[in-house]
Amino acid sequence: SVSINRGGANGSSGSGGSGHRPRMSHFGTAVDTATANAYQSAHPCTSPVKSPIRSSLGHVMPTSPTGHGGGGGGNNGKRTTFSSSIEQQVLESNPILESFGNARTIRNDNSSRFGKFIEINFCDAGTLIGATIETYLLEKVRLITHADGERNYHIFYEVLAGASSSDQKKLMIDYASPEDFVMTRSPSGTYHRRDGVHDEHTYRELKTAMNVMGFDSEEQLDIFEIVSSLLHLSNLTFVEREHDECLLNEDNYSLEAALELCGVTLEALEAALCSVVIEAGGERLIKTLGMAQCTKALEALIKATYGALFEYLVRRVNGCIASGVEQVDVSGTDMQSPDSISAASAAETAAFIAVLDIFGFESFETNSFEQLCINYTNESLQQQFNRFVFKLEQAEYEREGISWKFIEFPDNQNILDLIDKRHTGILSVLDEQCIQAFNNDQSFANSLYDKHCGKGGAVGTAAFAANNGQKARSMFNIHHYAGPVEYNALDFLEKNKDETPKEINELLAGSENHFLQHLGEIILSRPMANANSRTPAKFGAAHHHHKQSSLIRVSVGKQFSTQLKQLRTRIDATSPHYIRCLKPNNELRPDHFDCAVIADQLRYAGILEAIRVSRVGYPQRYLHERFLSRYRILGTKELRSKQSSRGQSPAEDCKVLVDVIARKIWARKHGVLFGDDNPFSLPHTRGKRKIGRSSSSSFVPRTPAKNMHRTPPKIRTPAPSSPSAHSKDTGRFKANATPPPWANHKLKATPMAKCTTSNESSQSSIISAAESSAPKPPSSASKFKPPAPVAPKIRSKSIT
C-alpha cells in the first residue's frame, strides 16, 4: 500500500530560520557549511564534490568510495564511525529488519511477522532527505512455538550458519547447529529456506547493512550476544524438588553459556524464574513456583528480551535515516521515537511517500490472539479500501457528467464493532477481564457468549457464533469478509497483558551486561494508560518504576487498536495506491497456476468485490483519441465539416461522433427511410432506396442494366392495412412514432407507413411509384432481403 501526500513546505531544505548557519545538501543529508569548509581545509586532497556528511552517530566523516570502512571486525574492539549516503542507509535498513522480523512460514519463506510503515521524506526539490519506520505487533509467540514446517526468525539461523569461528567462540555457539537448541529445533527438519536463499549469505548482507547504518563492531557483538543468549536460554530445564518448588537444572550444558552471556549469576537467574516476591503489610514473602509457572517465566524472559531488542533496532535505524534530527551515539541517551522524528523534520519535508507493508488475512488450524489482531487489521483496511474504490468511481462519473446512483455494497462495520466497540467489543471485554485479578480465559469466553450469543446481543450477532461444542472448548467463530475463522480463547489474557514479571525486570537491571540493562529499560518504557504521550518513553530517559499492574499498563489490544486508527487517519489524508501480491501456488513450483489458490487470495484481498463494483457501472471506457480512431468512419462527413474550423479538440470530436451515431441508431430502431443524400445512411447502404420494413411492405432493389436478364424478385402487393392485422407491430412503435425535434428538419425520408394509420395514403403512393418504375418480376422469384446495416452498440456517457 503506497500513500503519497503533498504537504506545506517552507521553500528550503534547510531550517530557514533566523540564527541558523547556512546549510548545504549532500546526497539529501543536511550538513553545516562551516563544518564542511573546515573539513575541506583540513583535507585538501579530498574532492570538493565529495562533501563530508554526517554519520549516523552525529559525526562528520569523509565519504567512503567502497561503502565500507567503519564498523565490522578487525578494529580490536575500538569504537569507529561510518559514513554513507542517506539513500544507501534507507535501503540497508531492510536487511536488518528482515533478519530480526521475518521468518519462514508454510506459504512464504521470507514472511514479515510484523507490520511496517515506512515514510520516505523529500525536500521541495525532490531530493530524499530521510525516512522513518513504524512497526506494528511483532509476533513474539513464534520465539516459543511455531507450526510444523516453519522456522523461527532468520537471525538465529544466520548467526549459526554465517558467523566466523572467532565470533562463534565469543558467542559460545561454536560447533553448534539449529538442532542443538529448542528455539530452532524442528521435528520435521525444517532448517533451511526453499527459495534458494542461504543463511550464510544473508548473514553477510546483515553485517554489511549494519556497517552502512553505523553499527560498530562492539555494538554488533552486543546484539549477537543477546541472540546467542536467547538460544541458550531456550535450552534451560528445571528440576522439581517438591510439589510447588523447582530449581534450575545445573547439569544443563547451556546453563553456563546463558549465565555468562546475560551477565547474571545462577542465584539471580534462579530467583527470577523460580520464585515471586509478594509484598503485603510491609512484609516481603517469597513464594516458590511450580514447573509450569517456571516455564512460563522463562518464556516471558525470552519474549520480553527479544521484543526489546527488536524495538531497539527500529529506534536505532530511525536514528540513522531520519532527517533534520541530531543523532546520538549507541549509548542511546537521546534516541528518538518515530513520532518525535517526524515532528522535528516536518519543517524540512515538502512531500513524502509512505509504504505500508502489513500482514495479510490469516486462518490456521489454531487461531489465537495474534490472528484476531491481524484479521482485525485487514477488516479495517478492507473497509478503507472499499470506501476509496467507491469514492474513485463516484468522482469519475461526476467528472464525466454521468448520472451516478450509489449501489449497495457489503459494509463490514458490524465486524469492526464486534471487535473494537467500546464496552461490548471483544477487545474491550478482554481488557475488562485483564483488570480483574482472578479472571481467566474461560471467564473471558463466557463473557463473550453472554454478550453476543444470547437473544438481542449487543453487536455482531450475525457475525459471531459459538455452538455448544465450541463453548466447551472456549472457542468462537467470527465471519470475516474473507470467510469464517474459528478462534481459541486460550492464552488471550496473558498475550493481551504482555506483562514482564517484576523479578525479571530486576534481573535485567542488575545484569553486568550493559546492553542487556538498556533492553530492560526499554521493557519498562511501555506506555501507561494515564500517560499524556502516545509513544513510549525515550530510550535511556529517566522513568519511574511503576508497579506492574494491568490497571496502569496499556494492553496490547488497546495499543494496537490505537495504532490502527492512527494509521487509517494517515492513509485517509493521502492519495493511496494498492499493490496486491498473489502466489500462483502453495508448493513454490514454477509454471504452475492453481486457480483455487488465486481465487482465495483475490477474495481475501477484496479484489473480487472491487471488480463487482466496476461491473455495475460502465466498465467499458475509451480514451477520446482511441474512440475516434475506432469509430471515426461512422461520422466522417460530419467530422470533416466540424473540423473546418481549426482548434477542434478530441473531446469535441467525440461529442460530434457520439451525436451522429446516436441519430443513426435511433433511425434504424424506428425504421426511418434512407436516401442517397440522407446524412444518416450507413456507408454500405448508400446507393439503395429503402421502403419500410414490415410484413405488409416490400423492398425494391435498384437492379443494374447488366443484370436485367436475371429473374427479378417478385413484388407482393401489400395487404390492406387493418388495426387487428398489425396490432403487434404497431404497438412496438406507437410510443416513438413521431421523430424528435432535432430529426424533423433534417430527415428527408418518410417514416414507415405502419407507424401510424395517417400515413397509409403516403405508403400507397410510394409503392405505386416503385411498381411503375421497376420491371415486373415473374411469379417464381424469391423474396429479396437487403443486408441489415450494423451500428456499434455503445453508451455515449461511458467515454472517459
Side-chain angles (χ1 to χ4, degrees), residues 370-561:
E370 295 83 7
Q371 280 69 45
L372 178 66
C373 293
I374 288 173
N375 294 339
Y376 167 46
T377 302
N378 283 269
E379 287 282 357
S380 182
L381 295 179
Q382 180 64 28
Q383 184 187 64
Q384 194 272 345
F385 173 70
N386 287 342
R387 293 180 177 178
F388 176 74
V389 169
F390 293 125
K391 184 178 179 181
L392 286 183
E393 290 288 311
Q394 181 185 9
E396 181 77 13
Y397 291 154
E398 290 179 351
R399 183 167 59 251
E400 295 291 335
I402 301 174
S403 177
W404 166 260
K405 180 180 180 181
F406 285 98
I407 65 173
E408 294 293 334
F409 66 95
D411 191 7
N412 59 347
Q413 184 61 46
N414 62 325
I415 307 295
L416 297 177
D417 292 341
L418 171 65
I419 297 176
D420 68 353
K421 190 173 184 179
R422 191 175 182 182
H423 301 307
T424 57
I426 295 176
L427 296 181
S428 296
V429 175
L430 183 59
D431 287 342
E432 293 176 0
Q433 293 288 316
C434 291
I435 290 175
Q436 302 174 7
F438 298 100
N439 287 332
N440 52 30
D441 298 321
Q442 184 61 51
S443 64
F444 162 67
N446 292 335
S447 180
L448 292 181
Y449 302 149
D450 295 339
K451 290 182 180 294
H452 302 301
C453 287
K455 293 184 179 180
V459 293
T461 53
F464 184 94
N467 54 37
N468 293 332
Q470 290 175 322
K471 290 180 180 180
R473 295 174 293 162
S474 302
M475 305 178 75
F476 57 90
N477 271 12
I478 297 180
H479 198 286
H480 293 279
Y481 74 92
V485 178
E486 184 182 56
Y487 295 95
N488 192 332
L490 183 64
D491 295 333
F492 260 59
L493 269 69
E494 178 185 349
K495 294 176 180 178
N496 188 51
K497 292 178 182 178
D498 194 26
E499 290 182 344
T500 307
K502 180 179 62 175
E503 292 74 19
I504 291 181
N505 290 331
E506 294 175 353
L507 174 70
L508 299 179
S511 172
E512 296 179 359
N513 186 330
H514 297 289
F515 186 71
L516 189 59
Q517 290 182 11
H518 293 326
L519 298 184
E521 294 175 1
I522 292 179
I523 295 174
L524 291 175
S525 68
R526 281 183 53 190
M528 304 294 176
N530 58 353
N532 295 326
S533 175
R534 58 183 176 89
T535 59
K538 293 181 180 180
F539 175 61
H543 61 272
H544 301 285
H545 291 270
H546 294 273
K547 183 179 179 180
Q548 294 288 314
S549 171
S550 57
L551 290 170
I552 298 177
R553 297 291 179 183
V554 176
S555 66
V556 175
K558 181 66 176 177
Q559 185 177 0
F560 182 73
S561 178

Side-chain angles (χ1 to χ4, degrees), residues 611-650:
I611 294 175
R612 189 187 71 84
V613 173
S614 179
R615 293 180 62 183
V616 170
Y618 295 96
Q620 300 295 334
R621 305 175 186 182
Y622 284 91
L623 296 175
H624 292 148
E625 294 79 2
R626 185 176 179 184
F627 183 82
L628 286 172
S629 175
R630 183 165 187 176
Y631 296 109
R632 180 184 298 273
I633 192 173
L634 300 179
T636 304
K637 181 178 179 181
E638 292 76 8
L639 289 175
R640 288 176 179 173
S641 62
K642 292 290 184 179
Q643 289 177 349
S644 57
S645 57
R646 297 295 181 182
Q648 187 83 348
S649 64

Side-chain angles (χ1 to χ4, degrees), residues 154-171:
H154 292 329
I155 183 60
F156 299 109
Y157 306 89
E158 293 173 356
V159 170
L160 291 172
S164 63
S165 300
S166 59
D167 289 342
Q168 286 185 351
K169 287 183 179 180
K170 294 177 183 178
L171 302 176

